[in-house]
Amino acid sequence: MRIAYFAGFLTLMVLAGCQPETPPSPLASLNCGRAKLVDTANGPRCVKPTADAGKVCTTNNQCSLMCLAETGTCAPYLPYFGCHEVLINGKGGQTVCVD
């Protein structure tokens, strides 16, 4: 009788550990190495940090990519997807969009 209870208990424990397999995310299929993985409107993409990420700037030529008007700093990674207002000679007003 005890063996039957133990066998039933063991069966329940095994079944409780079973879970349906989750399909892998499309992001998981990309190997970006040290780059950052982002999901964009055009699908997952790898972006690499810029050497001057976060550096204070007043114009685009002070950055390897662009000087962001919102923060007054160089863009953090390349490519920097989306639309961003950039600083040119200390003034904003020019918008750059990257798909």
Side-chain angles (χ1 to χ4, degrees):
M1 184 73 140
R2 286 185 183 178
I3 293 175
Y5 285 122
F6 179 72
F9 176 75
L10 188 58
T11 302
L12 287 175
M13 293 302 290
V14 169
L15 291 176
C18 294
Q19 296 181 0
E21 193 171 310
T22 306
S25 162
L27 293 176
S29 64
L30 286 177
N31 181 3
C32 292
R34 294 180 57 171
K36 178 180 179 181
L37 187 61
V38 295
D39 195 14
T40 70
N42 294 325
R45 300 285 186 261
C46 295
V47 294
K48 297 183 180 188
T50 57
D52 51 10
K55 174 184 149 194
V56 175
C57 57
T58 57
T59 191
N60 266 351
N61 65 7
Q62 295 172 332
C63 301
S64 58
L65 183 59
M66 67 178 94
C67 181
L68 303 172
E70 184 178 340
T71 60
T73 60
C74 296
Y77 47 84
L78 172 70
Y80 196 56
F81 293 106
C83 293
H84 309 280
E85 187 176 348
V86 297
L87 288 175
I88 306 291
N89 295 325
K91 297 179 183 173
Q94 184 175 351
T95 301
V96 174
C97 294
V98 179
D99 287 335

